[in-house]
Amino acid sequence: MSVLVNKQAPDFAAPVVHPDNQIQEEWHFLKETQGKYRVLFFYPLDFTFVCPSEIIAFDNRVKEFEKRNCAVVACSIDSHFTHLAWKNTPVDNGGIGQVSFPMVADLTKSIARDYDVLVDESVALRGTFLIDRSGVVQHQVVNNLPLGRNIDETLRMLDALQFHEEHGEVCPAGWQEGESGMKDTPEGVASYLAEKSSDL
């Protein structure tokens, strides 16, 4: 599997279903999200089992991502028509409801292939990619099919990236928004561990 961290995120143009259910036949990922942070997440298939729980969890937190100037984008190998049908299926019938982020249709599987999350030339693994405003991948995590991801951890990584960009300090293990960072010097790590090592 490729590690895309510190590399330019693969761009793509593909059909998408927008939050208002409008379909756009050719949506350009990096252009349409220019100036924003991005979370691009892949999931295996519409109308399945773990996937709706993740998509709804992202939707429940989408305003938190938006507050941080971050666009959330979902992608699977299903068609945009299937995405729309799933959005129009009530949650209590296994649907996802009117989620408020774009859903990309990767029918050719080329996007999943470019991000190296395509398994057995079939469906995408549960890949999550945090991309900065310059289009560089800063964080990636890929779960196997049975393992649902933690969306709060994605938010935490976005907070850590923005903290580092603003303050120039690095974020130690378990860092949370509002906590102090660490200067990336021998003196900085010694000072941090002297105060915080028992809390790690």
Side-chain angles (χ1 to χ4, degrees), residues 129-199:
F129 297 84
L130 172 59
I131 301 162
D132 69 15
R133 289 170 295 178
S134 299
V136 175
V137 178
Q138 296 291 334
H139 169 71
Q140 75 179 68
V141 62
V142 181
N143 295 3
N144 207 353
L145 301 179
L147 308 177
R149 73 199 96 197
N150 184 330
I151 286 67
D152 290 327
E153 174 65 4
T154 307
L155 267 173
R156 188 186 78 85
M157 294 307 299
L158 175 58
D159 286 338
L161 171 59
Q162 294 182 343
F163 176 89
H164 171 68
E165 289 179 343
E166 181 178 352
H167 300 283
E169 295 185 339
V170 295
C171 299
W175 180 91
Q176 297 284 342
E177 184 182 16
E179 296 180 354
S180 57
M182 177 195 298
K183 295 190 183 305
D184 55 350
T185 64
E187 296 79 15
V189 69
S191 172
Y192 181 87
L193 292 177
E195 182 182 349
K196 302 281 190 179
S197 61
S198 62
D199 299 328

